[in-house]
Amino acid sequence: MDGLRLHFVTAAAIALLGGVYLLRSRMVSRARRPPGPSGLPLLGNVFQVPGKPVFLIGDIRLAKEVLEKRSNKFSSRPIIPYVRYHVDPAQVYWAFSKQNKTHFVARKLTTGLMAAVRAGETEPLQQFEALLNVTHLLDDGGENWFNHIDRVSASMVLSAAFGLHCPTGKESDLKEIVACIAEGLRLSNPTASIMNILPFLDIIPGPMPWRIQARTHRKREDALYDKLITRAVSGEASGMNTWAAAFTSKDKPEGDQRRLMNQFARREIDAIVGEDRLPSFKDRPRLPFVEAIVRETLRWRPAVRLGVPHQSTADDVVEYKGKEYFIPKGSIIYAVTWAIEHDQERFEDHDSFQPDRFLDHTNNLKPGYETSAFGYGRRADITVCPGIPFAERTLWINIAMMLWTFNIRRSDKPDPKTGLPFKYDASDSAFSGDVRDGIAVRFHF
Ligand code: HEM
């Protein structure tokens, strides 16, 4: 009974302390509140980012003005206390850290890698992986397409970075990496821990649950990366060149397996690539429709929908539609990719997948392409997403290879959920890996 009472007393004390803390942070933030929705009663905007004004940008011009032209003031990252002090005290998650020494070194290393990517050194490896992907899709009739796409994207990055090729998707290292990334992302979410809301609780000593959770994750992640780096450095794992050799000896899929997604892409690939060979990066400049599909994919369902938060390091005033807005130092700024890429003033029928919106009347790419899919600005003086050269090559070769091989269309089997013919599904469930008993898109040969 005494124990129970003690729990109540502790809980009440924590609640009281918490109340005082929240009230304090609301009073501090009210002095310079930016325009925006009012907060929740009592808690204010505490569940967003305690005490910091948050700006959401949904207009490409404004995003460029603030995050690119003024990137010297708007390129820091907000601190998530639980990540900074528990999950990642050494700041190895440099993409989410401020521009410190680790960030600088990591960016330098990545820039070096990307120079090799730009020079085409990873292309054979990427082409080999894309070919393996279509053979997996062919093998099971596309039944597990979500897993195959997952595999190919992970294996491409891991082969290039650590020489860790994952041909089946069932490799234990791959599973461990995916699980670690998922756990890292879960713990990096601002709502993942009470530490982000009531950081004063950290004065409680001992093995508190948030400490145990963070330490367990750190140990697991450190062990994993030690192993990957040791393998890569020892040469135990095969590097890019081995995959280049493997690719050149790989059999081609049979010509009659080759079908194409739609009239435009088929005609284009037919004319340029033909039936006797696979598409390769050399074809890229002559396949504008495939390029348009890459662009429309990045626009229609951007991978990072909300964008990655930036933090300002100085006060500034921004003008938008004739009004001036004060952005105090320390503000959190999101350029919301989804809103920007679905801006109805820029994209007619914005939720339809229409690659030809990027083509002119002669079916060539329109000039002046801009995307927010990779974020904005510069960190350590380099374009913020350093992975762009690798990412856009990965997308291109996979799309080209799948278009060359398959005829992608709506299934003529009934939808297992409704028993009716498949309908175009614009919702995200069409892309969910959780759909088990039937998939909305099937491949036909
Ligand atoms: C389609 C694939 C990809 C998409 C959509 C994407 C998107 C993004 C976005 C939106 C950001 C945040 C930009 C900002 O702060 O405004 C970012 C940053 C970053 N990306 Fe990518 N990315 C992709 C692929 C890659 C790849 C393959 C790499 C591997 C090298 C990579 C490495 C990074 C890193 C390290 C950062 C943080 C850089 C920093 O904060 O200094 N990305 N990416």
Side-chain angles (χ1 to χ4, degrees):
M1 187 61 191
D2 271 0
L4 197 64
R5 203 169 304 135
L6 191 68
H7 273 109
F8 275 127
V9 172
T10 316
I14 288 173
L16 190 70
L17 277 171
V20 172
Y21 177 79
L22 294 174
L23 224 63
R24 233 189 117 253
S25 61
R26 287 192 74 209
M27 279 159 63
V28 171
S29 64
R30 191 166 289 160
R32 284 179 171 191
R33 202 158 258 243
S38 54
L40 297 169
L42 184 64
L43 297 181
N45 297 91
V46 73
F47 286 122
Q48 295 165 14
V49 180
K52 304 282 181 210
V54 178
F55 289 83
L56 303 180
I57 300 179
D59 179 295
I60 193 163
R61 298 270 76 81
L62 188 61
K64 289 192 144 203
E65 171 64 38
V66 176
L67 301 180
E68 286 201 337
K69 285 201 191 142
R70 306 181 193 192
S71 75
N72 56 337
K73 283 186 193 170
F74 288 95
S75 294
S76 192
R77 297 272 192 229
I79 284 182
I80 301 173
Y82 187 51
V83 178
R84 175 67 186 83
Y85 303 112
H86 292 275
V87 179
D88 183 28
Q91 300 189 60
V92 290
Y93 295 171
W94 54 274
F96 300 113
S97 68
K98 296 195 182 289
Q99 299 182 67
N100 52 26
K101 202 171 165 212
T102 320
H103 178 259
F104 182 75
V105 172
R107 290 225 50 139
K108 255 194 123 162
L109 284 171
T110 321
T111 308
L113 266 175
M114 288 304 142
V117 174
R118 280 204 187 84
E121 282 184 36
T122 54
E123 287 180 0
L125 144 72
Q126 289 176 290
Q127 187 149 357
F128 173 79
E129 284 285 358
L131 174 62
L132 194 58
N133 182 48
V134 290
T135 59
H136 283 153
L137 289 166
L138 284 166
D139 284 346
D140 71 357
E143 206 59 44
N144 295 307
W145 65 274
F146 195 90
N147 295 343
H148 302 323
I149 302 292
D150 242 7
R151 186 212 66 80
V152 70
S153 41
S155 187
M156 273 195 192
V157 173
L158 294 172
S159 308
F162 300 107
L164 179 68
H165 171 57
C166 305
T168 67
K170 296 190 177 111
E171 292 74 12
S172 57
D173 279 344
L174 176 66
K175 285 191 176 158
E176 180 61 3
I177 291 164
V178 170
C180 257
I181 292 174
E183 181 65 355
L185 286 175
R186 190 184 73 76
L187 296 177
S188 304
N189 191 315
T191 60
S193 172
I194 188 118
M195 276 307 93
N196 294 331
I197 299 166
L198 308 174
F200 68 88
L201 286 181
D202 219 10
I203 56 169
I204 304 172
M208 301 310 287
W210 59 85
R211 286 198 193 108
I212 297 173
Q213 185 176 235
R215 266 189 219 140
T216 311
H217 174 66
R218 179 83 350 257
K219 260 177 114 171
R220 182 182 179 188
E221 202 173 68
D222 287 349
L224 171 70
Y225 284 105
D226 277 353
K227 185 176 165 193
L228 287 177
I229 290 166
T230 310
R231 272 178 99 236
V233 172
S234 72
E236 188 190 322
S238 23
M240 293 171 197
N241 296 340
T242 321
W243 294 112
F247 173 70
T248 48
S249 65
K250 185 85 189 162
D251 285 337
K252 289 173 191 164
E254 293 303 313
D256 64 0
Q257 290 170 338
R258 191 190 139 274
R259 304 260 204 282
L260 299 161
M261 180 171 149
N262 59 38
Q263 292 300 322
F264 258 130
R266 178 179 3 216
R267 258 189 259 132
E268 186 176 74
I269 293 191
D270 265 351
I272 306 297
V273 181
E275 293 200 358
D276 302 331
R277 65 174 181 90
L278 294 164
S280 84
F281 283 101
K282 289 200 183 70
D283 300 311
R284 192 168 176 184
R286 293 185 299 149
L287 295 174
F289 194 78
V290 178
E291 201 69 45
I293 293 176
V294 173
R295 292 181 182 183
E296 185 65 344
T297 305
L298 285 168
R299 184 200 73 81
W300 187 58
R301 291 295 181 264
V304 188
R305 296 181 176 194
L306 192 57
V308 176
H310 290 223
Q311 185 164 37
S312 63
T313 49
D315 288 350
D316 206 350
V317 174
V318 171
E319 201 199 307
Y320 182 61
K321 294 196 173 165
K323 281 191 185 163
E324 288 195 332
Y325 295 99
F326 175 59
I327 307 187
K329 175 180 172 177
S331 296
I332 317 283
I333 297 105
Y334 284 88
V336 184
T337 315
W338 185 274
I340 293 173
E341 297 302 328
H342 285 256
D343 180 344
Q344 296 176 41
E345 281 178 21
R346 292 174 60 226
F347 303 107
E348 207 185 332
D349 206 359
H350 66 100
D351 209 29
S352 295
F353 187 82
Q354 290 177 10
D356 48 328
R357 65 173 89 242
F358 292 103
L359 299 174
D360 63 18
H361 63 282
T362 61
N363 291 328
N364 281 310
L365 290 165
K366 286 180 189 163
Y369 170 62
E370 316 180 280
T371 178
S372 66
F374 297 101
Y376 287 106
R378 297 171 82 73
R379 300 222 315 140
D381 226 13
I382 301 156
T383 306
V384 78
C385 173
I388 296 173
F390 193 80
E392 43 104 13
R393 279 171 177 76
T394 299
L395 277 170
W396 188 87
I397 193 67
N398 277 291
I399 288 172
M401 203 74 95
M402 286 191 279
L403 289 173
W404 185 88
T405 312
F406 299 116
N407 180 16
I408 302 169
R409 60 177 167 81
R410 184 194 301 163
S411 174
D412 46 17
K413 292 189 186 146
D415 182 340
K417 276 190 239 144
T418 61
L420 300 169
F422 270 112
K423 278 203 185 135
Y424 166 68
D425 186 353
S427 76
D428 286 350
S429 66
F431 297 91
S432 166
D434 298 332
V435 180
R436 303 221 181 276
D437 43 349
I439 46 175
V441 180
R442 286 173 192 275
F443 296 89
H444 288 260
F445 317 111

